Amino acid sequence: MSIVKINVLTVPEEQRETLEKRFASRAGTVDSSDGFEWFELLRPVEGTDSYLVYTRWRAEEDFQNWMSGRGQAAHRDSAAAGGGERPKPAATDSTLWTFEVVQQAAPKQG
């Protein structure tokens, strides 16, 4: 079964737009990676300042391969786009959670 990686990013309200723009500018950098299955950036609605970056992978190895290759490159490229200097992080903290998918459901086709 697949694995899910959820990166929990603590983002102050004044940095939310910056974070979302950075993710938008990197759209598509993960989509064609071997073993990649899904991505979502989840914005908090109320009661928290944590964004969730949800990715789903065929296997842990696929995620690790992306992290050591395209994942690092995506972060370097976004830094270079701002004139070569690494921009200040929008998040003040980050925690990575890992889960195995043990059950799943999709809408029934009617």
Side-chain angles (χ1 to χ4, degrees), residues 1 38 54 56 101-109:
M1 277 257 151
W38 198 260
Y54 173 101
R56 182 172 164 151
V101 176
V102 294
Q103 291 186 15
Q104 60 186 14
K108 293 183 179 182
Q109 302 298 320

Side-chain angles (χ1 to χ4, degrees), residues 20-91:
E20 292 179 22
K21 284 181 178 178
R22 287 180 185 169
F23 270 91
S25 73
R26 294 192 314 238
T29 60
V30 70
D31 302 13
S32 61
S33 298
D34 190 40
F36 170 78
E37 296 178 352
W38 198 260
F39 163 84
E40 291 178 321
L41 175 62
L42 306 176
R43 177 193 303 137
V45 176
E46 60 181 283
T48 184
D49 57 357
S50 295
Y51 274 72
L52 301 181
V53 182
Y54 173 101
T55 57
R56 182 172 164 151
W57 300 86
R58 176 182 54 209
E60 177 70 24
E61 180 181 11
D62 296 316
F63 172 74
Q64 293 300 329
N65 288 339
W66 178 77
M67 283 295 294
S68 64
R70 286 185 168 173
Q72 285 183 351
H75 286 89
R76 270 195 316 270
D77 292 348
S78 66
E85 289 187 32
R86 186 171 188 89
K88 177 183 172 206

